[in-house]
Amino acid sequence: MNYPVWDLTTYGGGFLIALVAVVHVLVSHFAVGGGLFLITLEKKAYKDEDAGLLDYVKKHSKFFLLVSMVFGGLTGVGIWWTIALLNPAATSSLIHTFVFGWAAEWVFFVGEIVALFIYFYTFGKMDRNNHIIVGWIYFICAWMSLFLINGIIGYMLTPGAWIETHSFWSGFFNPTFWPSLVFRTGISLTLCGVFGFVTAAFLKDDNLRQKIMRTCAVWVAIPFALMVGGGWWYFLAIPEPAKTIILEKSPEVTNYLQLLTWAMPILFIASMIMAIRLPQSFQKVFCFVIVGIALIYFGAFEFIREGGRRPFIIYDHMYSNQVYVKDVPEIQKAGFLTSSKWARHKEVTDENLMDAGRDLFKFQCSACHSVNGPLNDIVPIVQKFDTVFGMDSMLNGLGKINNYMPHFMGTREERWALANYIVHGPDIRVVQEITQQETAQKKPAH
Ligand code: HEC
């Protein structure tokens, strides 16, 4: 435990990262496929000498530049800011394991930015063939950055042989690398159609709008197969313990799995509706509804991927609460607080029982549990434990039946302090008081 913990309480339990990541992931995948969408339509416009279509491509490229580069760039930096503050140990581990992966990713990212600027600012001014080549350079750079990030993200869920070899390549080409790449490429192409609806819906020319709506619907439909097939292959490639967590063990993942199975066909059907000739006023609203559905769909997928990794942040290597798996025996012996550089209380005494307990909660539980917050709130789920004794034995069994959580790490005294904090802690007690009031109200009836 080498790093401090950012104590977010209400917005803890992964809320902040979820908020930034889900938005960024949607936009960054759009940034990958969007290049191919632009050059395909541009080429078609040249072939058919279709000035209306060419004008649309130009307009769409401005929207694309703003959404993918400006907004995508900002949220991308936001991801680094968030993960570095929320989980410095895992961030450090990712950087150390994949130094050259990140460096290569940065090169492609620069390539992407330069190519997209040239593409946008020389639209209609450059020789047609060269302009298409610039578009291709953009698309290849963008896809390569997906290729690189995909290896690193996949490694967190399925590090595979890396656990033993610690070699860059076995971590990078991990067991879910290829299926995840197919799935993500499918998503990034599908999103071209989804965002294409948004720019097309505002075109004034009825026939042109209708034609582009149909083209966008095709851009959703064809890669959809790649996405569904890749997604299934991805799921099959996940090793057993994580698959069980996803399918049956974790109550939180079950909800997201349901959301995913509903959002996927709804996204498809909603997109196909756009291919029908409908009033523009409807299309102008409905295109944003489709973006919303895509956000929910992709968000649910990312939640499942993260949830399936529990209790780890890097599978079999580091727990979500920044503790390296290899350090656990040492921590059990020496005590958790003594082993944590940033804990205020190094040992449990009668005087600091509550504060030491709070520290333990912050360091061991707050990565996954918020306090009175929207994500995985600890308050309602501990209500049934009304004695410190009961909570203490729950902590003793933690991570055994509910193996989506790590074991409690530390000495018997530390476990008692944590149990005491959870049952009587000032932030969690609010509900305890209500419970006591309810009990008091109930008493006369008996
Ligand atoms: C790796 C993430 C993670 C960590 C770390 C974690 N939990 Fe959990 N915990 C969960 C999830 C997920 C659930 C299931 C929530 C639900 O029911 O929706 C859960 C449920 C619980 C429950 C209810 C269990 C039941 O069967 O009713 C308790 C109590 C609990 N956690 C306490 C703790 C305490 C105390 C800590 C710190 C020592 C902790 N958790 C650390 C993820 C975690």
Side-chain angles (χ1 to χ4, degrees):
M1 291 299 301
N2 289 322
Y3 297 96
V5 166
W6 187 15
D7 196 9
L8 282 165
T9 59
T10 312
Y11 298 106
F15 179 80
L16 193 63
I17 184 70
L19 191 73
V20 184
V22 169
V23 177
H24 177 72
V25 152
L26 189 81
V27 173
S28 62
H29 281 72
F30 171 49
V32 172
L36 193 65
F37 180 79
L38 285 171
I39 43 186
T40 311
L41 265 60
E42 186 186 354
K43 249 183 146 161
K44 187 164 171 13
Y46 292 150
K47 202 174 129 243
D48 303 348
E49 289 300 331
D50 186 338
L53 180 60
L54 193 65
D55 193 47
Y56 166 75
V57 177
K58 193 173 174 189
K59 278 193 186 126
H60 186 75
S61 71
K62 184 171 188 182
F63 169 81
F64 182 65
L65 181 96
L66 290 174
V67 171
S68 76
M69 196 169 291
V70 180
F71 188 71
L74 282 176
T75 49
V77 174
I79 293 259
W80 277 106
W81 178 80
T82 319
I83 63 166
L85 287 176
L86 286 181
N87 204 320
T91 308
S92 159
S93 180
L94 284 185
I95 292 173
H96 283 92
T97 311
F98 295 108
V99 177
F100 290 105
W102 294 117
E105 146 71 16
W106 185 79
V107 171
F108 284 112
F109 187 55
V110 172
E112 231 181 294
I113 292 180
V114 174
L116 188 54
F117 272 134
I118 296 176
Y119 182 85
F120 175 70
Y121 284 106
T122 60
F123 209 112
K125 294 175 196 144
M126 192 186 263
D127 166 74
R128 288 179 169 188
N129 280 339
N130 288 344
H131 195 248
I132 299 262
I133 291 172
V134 173
W136 271 108
I137 295 174
Y138 170 81
F139 174 63
I140 292 166
C141 285
W143 189 79
M144 278 309 294
S145 71
L146 171 69
F147 183 91
L148 288 161
I149 297 271
N150 176 60
I152 298 170
I153 290 177
Y155 146 91
M156 293 172 80
L157 173 62
T158 55
W162 181 89
I163 293 293
E164 264 123 51
T165 61
H166 277 234
S167 102
F168 176 96
W169 296 112
S170 51
F172 189 80
F173 290 111
N174 60 77
T176 53
F177 179 87
W178 294 110
S180 164
L181 188 65
V182 172
F183 172 71
R184 288 179 187 278
T185 302
I187 279 201
S188 63
L189 296 175
T190 303
L191 288 175
C192 303
V194 168
F195 281 100
F197 291 138
V198 174
T199 43
F202 290 84
L203 292 173
K204 290 197 183 71
D205 181 337
D206 251 6
N207 286 333
L208 180 68
R209 190 176 67 247
Q210 231 34 67
K211 196 171 81 178
I212 294 171
M213 285 292 182
R214 273 198 301 273
T215 308
C216 292
V218 173
W219 274 82
V220 172
I222 295 175
F224 218 83
L226 203 63
M227 187 174 80
V228 174
W232 185 240
W233 182 22
Y234 189 172
F235 179 70
L236 294 179
I238 297 173
E240 209 33 73
K243 212 185 262 173
T244 321
I245 293 264
I246 293 174
L247 281 187
E248 40 193 294
K249 280 282 170 69
S250 171
E252 83 183 320
V253 175
T254 319
N255 297 334
Y256 296 119
L257 211 57
Q258 249 173 21
L259 199 61
L260 184 84
T261 26
W262 278 104
M264 192 157 62
I266 292 176
L267 176 64
F268 187 83
I269 295 165
S271 302
M272 293 312 110
I273 289 175
M274 280 305 225
I276 307 168
R277 189 177 277 273
L278 291 161
Q280 187 174 16
S281 52
F282 173 83
Q283 289 173 330
K284 275 185 182 171
V285 177
F286 202 60
C287 61
F288 292 107
V289 174
I290 296 179
V291 172
I293 300 168
L295 188 73
I296 292 172
Y297 164 69
F298 209 4
F301 162 75
E302 292 292 336
F303 266 91
I304 294 168
R305 191 181 54 74
E306 298 265 328
R309 217 163 53 194
R310 298 215 198 280
F312 304 100
I313 185 126
I314 300 169
Y315 217 96
D316 282 339
H317 180 60
M318 186 190 290
Y319 288 108
S320 298
N321 51 19
Q322 307 197 55
V323 176
Y324 280 97
V325 175
K326 67 173 169 46
D327 291 344
V328 173
E330 193 52 42
I331 290 174
Q332 297 291 43
K333 242 192 288 159
F336 188 87
L337 295 172
T338 324
S339 315
S340 306
K341 225 179 205 165
W342 295 85
R344 268 179 308 149
H345 306 275
K346 293 292 175 192
E347 57 184 284
V348 178
T349 61
D350 285 345
E351 289 73 44
N352 74 5
L353 197 63
M354 193 63 79
D355 289 340
R358 190 172 191 289
D359 257 11
L360 284 158
F361 181 81
K362 192 168 81 177
F363 281 98
Q364 287 197 40
C365 321
S366 72
C368 302
H369 288 290
S370 65
V371 179
N372 283 316
L375 269 196
N376 216 356
D377 188 0
I378 191 77
V379 176
I381 52 179
V382 293
Q383 274 188 85
K384 56 182 179 240
F385 303 95
D386 42 15
T387 64
V388 179
F389 210 73
M391 192 64 225
D392 185 60
S393 38
M394 159 80 200
L395 290 177
N396 189 26
L398 203 72
K400 286 174 193 156
I401 306 161
N402 26 36
N403 59 358
Y404 42 84
M405 281 188 267
H407 294 261
F408 172 77
M409 300 161 201
T411 60
R412 281 231 42 170
E413 292 73 32
E414 287 174 330
R415 203 175 78 202
W416 185 257
L418 176 58
N420 199 65
Y421 166 73
I422 293 176
V423 176
H424 297 302
D427 8 7
I428 301 175
R429 193 179 48 192
V430 184
V431 170
Q432 298 288 323
E433 273 171 3
I434 295 168
T435 323
Q436 274 161 16
Q437 272 171 18
E438 278 171 2
T439 329
Q441 280 165 6
K442 272 181 203 151
K443 256 183 193 157
H446 286 279

